[in-house]
Amino acid sequence: FWASVDGTYQQVQVQDIFGKSVKVPSVASRYSQPEATDFHLPFVDGCRAEIPDTYNAADWAEFLGWYLSEGCAEYNEATAKYCVTITQFDNINPAKVQLIGQMLDRLGLPWKYSSTGKRFRIYNKRLAAYLHQFGLAHQKYIPDWLFSQPDYVIDRFLDGFIMGDGYVGPGYEHIDGTMLYRCTVKITSEKLIDQLQMLCCMVGLPSMKTYVGPDERYPNSKPQWSLGISFADGERALLSGWEKREYED
């Protein structure tokens, strides 16, 4: 694990520091990295439209991040309607719309973008059947598959999720001169917030969970939780895609 030895953080074994006074960070990347495993989409009877069976781990993780932050799935056997939707407005975030389209192309998923410039749609029974299990916004969660992946795959998930449902506030200068930033995610699924915090811990990103409560502007609003993620400017490759803008009131 990581510990400060002679004033610098390094990876150490327990026997090397036994009986010594050392500093241990609250979060740090894992000592050993598991091998990335491609994602295999479960088979569904009666699915006529062909899509790939297997997906690159990093690309699928990014897709999952976008879906859990900005997506929904309709699976209705009575009407035979099977549709996966990811919302992203072209007049507000054209660069993100382009990124999503490129990602879907890499995955080999056939998609259409609405004429109103608001959302991507993928009509496929097999894909909708898998994603439908994650429920509505307040029910969403991260599948176990992601927690067994190496850091760079988790990074891609966080990249997609944060670009979909996060914002970065103005930076501030640390005592050592480093520019620090805080990314905030606010959602209605406490389980998903807890899992996001676990992933941040796994890849060495400090974070803090806060209960926000219902949005009083809307009747029947669900309780919300926020997760503040701290990072140094340029610290991780994934951060290049996060949008830096002022906090919203």
Side-chain angles (χ1 to χ4, degrees), residues 11 27 29 49 54 63-64 72 81 88 90-91 110-111 125 127 137 156 178 187 189 198 211 230 234 238 244:
Q11 290 180 337
V27 293
S29 58
T54 304
F63 170 72
L64 196 61
C72 62
K81 187 171 182 180
Q88 198 64 220
D90 187 50
N91 64 332
W111 56 272
K125 181 178 181 180
L127 185 64
R156 287 284 295 278
T178 304
I187 54 180
S189 170
M198 185 182 300
Y211 176 71
S230 301
L238 72 95
K244 292 185 174 65

Side-chain angles (χ1 to χ4, degrees), residues 57-75:
D59 285 339
W60 180 262
E62 183 182 339
F63 170 72
L64 196 61
W66 279 108
Y67 176 78
L68 290 177
S69 62
E70 296 280 32
C72 62
E74 182 177 0
Y75 185 87

Side-chain angles (χ1 to χ4, degrees), residues 5 16 20 42 55 59 62 69-70 73 76 94 100 103 121 137 141 169 202 209 219 221 229:
V5 180
D16 297 331
K20 300 179 181 179
Y55 299 86
D59 285 339
E62 183 182 339
S69 62
E70 296 280 32
N76 191 323
I100 295 173
M103 173 192 66
R121 289 191 176 96
Y141 62 94
M202 290 171 67
K209 169 187 172 184
S221 176
I229 307 170

Side-chain angles (χ1 to χ4, degrees), residues 163-176:
M163 284 195 289
D165 205 9
Y167 59 92
V168 178
Y172 60 95
E173 188 172 350
H174 190 261
I175 190 172
D176 64 3

Side-chain angles (χ1 to χ4, degrees), residues 37-230:
T37 55
D38 289 342
F39 178 78
H40 299 277
L41 188 65
F43 181 76
V44 173
D45 289 331
C47 182
R48 299 192 182 113
E50 293 186 2
I51 60 173
D53 297 322
T54 304
Y55 299 86
N56 172 270
D59 285 339
W60 180 262
E62 183 182 339
F63 170 72
L64 196 61
W66 279 108
Y67 176 78
L68 290 177
S69 62
E70 296 280 32
C72 62
E74 182 177 0
Y75 185 87
N76 191 323
E77 292 186 339
T79 61
K81 187 171 182 180
Y82 313 107
C83 181
V84 174
T85 300
I86 295 178
T87 300
Q88 198 64 220
F89 287 28
D90 187 50
N91 64 332
I92 299 176
N93 294 309
K96 293 181 180 180
V97 169
Q98 184 177 11
L99 283 175
I100 295 173
Q102 293 171 346
M103 173 192 66
L104 295 176
D105 287 341
R106 290 195 305 271
L107 290 167
L109 296 174
W111 56 272
K112 296 181 179 181
Y113 190 67
S114 64
S115 58
T116 56
K118 294 182 179 180
R119 53 185 59 88
F120 291 84
R121 289 191 176 96
I122 306 167
Y123 295 95
N124 185 271
K125 181 178 181 180
R126 187 177 178 186
L127 185 64
Y130 176 75
L131 295 174
H132 188 257
Q133 68 176 308
F134 298 110
L136 301 176
H138 66 285
Q139 301 167 323
K140 285 183 175 178
Y141 62 94
I142 299 169
D144 293 340
W145 170 84
L146 188 62
F147 292 90
S148 62
Q149 301 303 312
D151 286 3
Y152 79 90
V153 175
I154 295 175
D155 285 351
R156 287 284 295 278
F157 171 84
L158 293 173
D159 200 0
F161 195 97
I162 296 301
M163 284 195 289
D165 205 9
Y167 59 92
V168 178
Y172 60 95
E173 188 172 350
H174 190 261
I175 190 172
D176 64 3
T178 304
M179 286 300 297
L180 299 178
Y181 296 90
R182 184 179 178 88
C183 170
T184 301
V185 173
K186 188 186 296 183
I187 54 180
T188 56
S189 170
E190 185 177 14
K191 180 175 182 178
L192 182 52
I193 278 286
D194 289 340
Q195 290 179 312
L196 284 170
Q197 187 170 35
M198 185 182 300
L199 289 177
C200 287
C201 184
M202 290 171 67
V203 299
L205 290 172
S207 61
M208 178 177 293
K209 169 187 172 184
T210 305
Y211 176 71
V212 178
D215 189 334
E216 296 181 354
R217 295 174 298 176
Y218 306 102
N220 303 319
S221 176
K222 301 285 186 184
Q224 298 181 53
W225 288 263
S226 71
L227 187 69
I229 307 170
S230 301

Side-chain angles (χ1 to χ4, degrees), residues 1-12 17 21-29 31 174 176 235:
F1 58 92
W2 289 95
S4 176
V5 180
D6 299 326
T8 59
Y9 279 102
Q10 55 188 279
Q11 290 180 337
V12 298
I17 60 172
S21 177
V22 298
K23 294 181 179 179
V24 179
S26 58
V27 293
S29 58
Y31 181 78
H174 190 261
D176 64 3
E235 182 180 20

